[in-house]
Amino acid sequence: MYSLHEQYVDMASGFHVIELRDERGHRHLIQIAIGLDCCPACGAVHPKDNLEALDPAAAIAGVNEALNTSQRQMLTYAGKHGLRVR
Amino acid sequence: MALKVNLAQINSAARGNSDLRETLTGIHLALQSLYAQTGTVPLQKIDATATAFTSPPAPSQLAVSGANGSFTVSIATPQNASGAAAPRNATNAPIYQEISSSPVANFVSGVATYPVSTNTSYVFPNPGVTLYWRLRSSYNQQNWTSYIAQPGAVSSGLMSSAATASNLSLNQSNYATVDSVANGSTATVRIYGSGGVGSSWTSILGSSSQVIASGSIMNVAYATNGFVVWDGQKYQLKPQLAQTFPDAWVPVGKISVIANGSGLVLPVIHAVVTGGAIVAYQIINPGNGLTAAPALTITDSSGSGATATAVVSAGAVTQVNPGSAGSGYSSTPTVTASGGVSGGAAGGGGATGNNGGRLYADV
C-alpha cells in the first residue's frame, strides 16, 4: 500500500512535493503548485493567491486512497488466482 | 655506367630544404663539367621540361565560405580554367596548395597553416570563429606564388544541433500520458504510464532508459497551458518555452487545461422547416464559454440529410450556416450541439508523451 515517504517545499519551482511509496518501491509524486512562474527569463516564482484554501493533507489522503484502491483491486485479483506478487 | 639524375629529381628529393637542393644542384653541375672535360658521358638530363617545375604556377583562385560551424574552401587552379588563354603547365603537373588563416587581416598573428596538399576543396570544422584566409601555390613546394587573399573575413557560424545528425531520429520516446481533470476550483494535471493513472512510465533515450514515477500536479488554474518536464526529482510545469531547458530535463508533454466545465453552456438551436426541408435555424440560446464551434447534429423521426455549422464568437454562437436542407423532416426536428471546447472534455485536455520527445499540444 502507498504511504507518505517524504515531502518538502521546492522554492525554486514553487511546488509542495509529496512522495508516496509502496512496499515494492513504486513511487508517485503529488505536487501542489503553490507558486507561479512569473518570469520565464529569470525563473522567479511568486506565491499563488489561494494558498490559504489549500489542504495538502486532504490531497495526500485523496491520491493515496485512489492509488491504494487500484492496488487493492490488483492484489485481490492476484489472490483470487493464486498469483505471486512482486 | 652513366649516372642518370636530373634536376627535377634533385628538386623532389630536396623538397623543403633549399640548402640541400643547392648542394645537390652544385654537385650535379660539377659532375657535368667534369664529364665534359674528361670526355665521358655526362650526366643526362632526362626531363627536358624539368626547369618549368622550378617556377611557381599561375595564381589559383581561392573561395572560402562559412556556414554551420565549418569553413568550406574551394580552389580553382589554372589547370581547371577553360579557354586557350588559361595558363597551363605543359605537363599538367600537380599544383601544391598551402592554405593559411588568421584572425587578423594582415596575418601578423594567430596564423594557422594547413598541410600542403594538391586537393582543391576542404572543409574545416571550427564553429563560432571569424578568420581571414589566404592561399599560395607551387609546383615543387619551394617556389611559391604570392599569397592570394580571400577578400574580407569569413565567419564559420554556429553549428546547429541538427547538423550533428541530419535527419536522424533522436530515438527518444516518452511513454507517458499527460492529462488534466477538474478538481473543484482548480485542475489536477496527471502524468502516468501505460498502466493507467498512478503507474510509472519509461523514458527512452538512445540505448538507455529510465523509469519515472507517476505524478499529480494539483492546484493548476483553468485555462492555462503548460509544458510538463521531469527535472530528475520532480515534475516542472512551465507556462511557456521561452527558456531553455537544462540538458538533464526530460520533456514529457504539453497540457492544455481548458475552462472549467461548470462555465460551459451549450447553445440551444431550433430548426425552421418548410416543405420537409430545413431552410433556416433559430438561435434560442447562444451558449456561453465556448472555445470552439460546437458540432450540430440534426435528428428527427422522419427526416434526414440536413447539415449545419455554427459560428462562435466571444464564447457564444452568433450564426448558424445551413448546409444541406435534407428532406422529409417533421415540423420539430431536434438540433443538438456538442463539443464547443478545444482540448477535449471540459475540465480536461491533454497530450500523449510517446511522441519521440517532441512536445505538441493535443488540442
Side-chain angles (χ1 to χ4, degrees), chain B residues 99-168:
Chain B
I99 304 167
S100 52
S101 65
S102 171
V104 292
N106 55 7
F107 284 82
V108 296
S109 64
V111 176
T113 302
Y114 301 89
V116 174
S117 167
T118 57
N119 293 339
T120 55
S121 63
Y122 303 84
V123 174
F124 299 122
N126 193 359
V129 297
T130 299
L131 297 173
Y132 293 87
W133 293 83
R134 66 182 182 182
L135 167 75
R136 64 177 184 171
S137 309
S138 173
Y139 282 124
N140 58 5
Q141 302 184 62
Q142 297 171 24
N143 300 322
W144 295 92
T145 63
S146 299
Y147 282 110
I148 306 298
Q150 163 87 4
V154 180
S155 173
S156 63
L158 295 176
M159 181 185 295
S160 73
S161 59
T164 60
S166 178
N167 292 328
L168 293 178

Side-chain angles (χ1 to χ4, degrees), chain B residues 60-64 72-80 94-99 115-124 135 137:
Chain B
S60 298
Q61 294 177 349
L62 173 66
V64 182
T72 300
V73 178
S74 178
I75 299 170
T77 67
Q79 294 171 3
N80 294 337
I95 299 177
Y96 293 93
Q97 311 287 359
E98 182 192 87
I99 304 167
V116 174
S117 167
T118 57
N119 293 339
T120 55
S121 63
Y122 303 84
V123 174
F124 299 122
L135 167 75
S137 309

Side-chain angles (χ1 to χ4, degrees), chain B:
Chain B
M1 184 175 113
L3 181 59
K4 294 186 177 180
V5 176
N6 60 44
L7 289 176
Q9 289 171 312
I10 292 174
N11 284 336
S12 178
R15 180 176 302 159
N17 188 333
S18 58
D19 291 340
L20 177 61
R21 182 175 61 83
E22 290 176 7
T23 301
L24 292 175
T25 302
I27 294 172
H28 172 76
L29 295 175
L31 283 173
Q32 280 189 312
S33 175
L34 179 62
Y35 288 149
Q37 294 175 24
T38 58
T40 57
V41 178
L43 191 63
Q44 295 295 314
K45 185 177 180 181
I46 296 175
D47 188 351
T49 65
T51 54
F53 286 82
T54 61
S55 301
S60 298
Q61 294 177 349
L62 173 66
V64 182
S65 60
N68 203 24
S70 294
F71 293 103
T72 300
V73 178
S74 178
I75 299 170
T77 67
Q79 294 171 3
N80 294 337
S82 59
R88 177 183 291 269
N89 177 268
T91 58
N92 272 339
I95 299 177
Y96 293 93
Q97 311 287 359
E98 182 192 87
I99 304 167
S100 52
S101 65
S102 171
V104 292
N106 55 7
F107 284 82
V108 296
S109 64
V111 176
T113 302
Y114 301 89
V116 174
S117 167
T118 57
N119 293 339
T120 55
S121 63
Y122 303 84
V123 174
F124 299 122
N126 193 359
V129 297
T130 299
L131 297 173
Y132 293 87
W133 293 83
R134 66 182 182 182
L135 167 75
R136 64 177 184 171
S137 309
S138 173
Y139 282 124
N140 58 5
Q141 302 184 62
Q142 297 171 24
N143 300 322
W144 295 92
T145 63
S146 299
Y147 282 110
I148 306 298
Q150 163 87 4
V154 180
S155 173
S156 63
L158 295 176
M159 181 185 295
S160 73
S161 59
T164 60
S166 178
N167 292 328
L168 293 178
S169 169
L170 292 175
N171 192 22
Q172 177 171 346
S173 296
N174 297 325
Y175 292 96
T177 294
V178 184
D179 65 11
S180 67
V181 292
N183 186 12
S185 59
T186 59
T188 296
V189 174
R190 307 180 301 187
I191 305 101
Y192 52 92
S194 57
V197 176
S199 65
S200 57
W201 57 280
T202 303
S203 172
I204 298 174
L205 179 58
S207 58
S208 63
S209 65
Q210 61 175 325
V211 176
I212 297 177
S214 58
S216 304
I217 303 175
M218 311 180 80
N219 198 31
V220 178
Y222 288 111
T224 58
N225 291 329
F227 294 92
V228 179
V229 293
W230 173 254
D231 69 3
Q233 299 293 326
K234 61 187 177 303
Y235 291 99
Q236 300 262 2
L237 184 59
K238 294 298 178 186
Q240 53 189 308
L241 286 178
Q243 65 184 63
T244 302
F245 289 166
D247 289 343
W249 287 20
V250 177
V252 182
K254 181 186 177 184
I255 186 69
S256 300
V257 182
I258 64 170
N260 189 350
S262 61
L264 178 67
V265 178
L266 289 171
V268 177
I269 298 168
H270 286 177
V272 178
V273 179
T274 299
I278 298 178
V279 296
Y281 293 87
Q282 182 181 9
I283 301 173
I284 305 300
N285 183 338
N288 188 32
L290 301 171
T291 59
L296 301 180
T297 305
I298 302 155
T299 56
D300 185 61
S301 58
S302 58
S304 63
T307 59
T309 56
V311 177
V312 169
S313 178
V317 173
T318 57
Q319 185 178 342
V320 176
N321 295 325
S324 173
S327 60
Y329 280 96
S330 67
S331 60
T332 56
T334 301
V335 181
T336 304
S338 61
V341 291
S342 58
T352 301
N354 55 342
N355 49 25
R358 297 185 180 90
L359 294 174
Y360 68 97
D362 186 14
V363 295

Side-chain angles (χ1 to χ4, degrees), chain A residues 2 8 10 13 15 17 27-34 37 40 48 50-51 54 59 63 67, chain B residues 186 197-198 213-221 230 233-240 242-243:
Chain A
Y2 280 92
Y8 58 91
D10 185 66
S13 61
F15 279 114
V17 182
R27 305 163 60 207
H28 182 84
L29 294 176
I30 303 172
Q31 297 187 201
I32 303 176
I34 60 174
D37 279 54
K48 289 196 170 188
N50 66 344
L51 298 189
L54 296 178
V63 174
L67 292 172
Chain B
T186 59
V197 176
S214 58
S216 304
I217 303 175
M218 311 180 80
N219 198 31
V220 178
W230 173 254
Q233 299 293 326
K234 61 187 177 303
Y235 291 99
Q236 300 262 2
L237 184 59
K238 294 298 178 186
Q240 53 189 308
Q243 65 184 63

